Amino acid sequence: MRCRICSRPVKEKGFCSVHLKAFLNICEKFEVWEHALGVLWIDYLVNISKNSLTGEWAKEVAKHLIEDEGRNVKEK
Ligand SMILES: [Zn+2]
């Protein structure tokens, strides 16, 4: 199986090792953000994808997750 974002072999959760690491990082930070600011998952992802301080791996993961959300939940 291939990573959902790149063509590297999957390690876990549909992500390769680098994207998995970025994904776990994103999830970890979200808990802090959600707790402190009450941000929504999707808003948090958009923020990451636009933040110039975010690493490329994390941006790719965030963009992918936003697309996933768009598929699952219809935009209002
Ligand atoms: Zn990957």
Side-chain angles (χ1 to χ4, degrees):
M1 235 172 100
R2 297 283 164 184
C3 172
R4 285 147 69 169
I5 298 166
C6 63
S7 56
R8 292 183 189 86
V10 160
K11 189 168 186 204
E12 225 180 278
K13 299 185 201 297
F15 294 114
C16 65
S17 55
V18 289
H19 285 120
L20 177 68
K21 202 177 161 197
F23 174 70
L24 294 176
N25 230 316
I26 286 173
C27 291
E28 210 173 275
K29 279 182 191 151
F30 177 64
E31 281 179 27
V32 178
W33 276 53
E34 190 185 32
H35 192 74
L37 306 164
V39 289
L40 295 173
W41 176 234
I42 190 75
D43 293 337
Y44 170 70
L45 293 176
V46 169
N47 193 291
I48 288 175
S49 70
K50 287 179 180 169
N51 193 335
S52 57
L53 298 175
T54 309
E56 274 310 306
W57 300 122
K59 267 186 197 170
E60 284 176 14
V61 172
K63 279 177 191 162
H64 175 79
L65 293 172
I66 290 166
E67 279 172 26
D68 252 18
E69 289 291 317
R71 245 172 262 139
N72 297 336
V73 187
K74 291 246 176 190
E75 291 272 353
K76 277 175 199 160

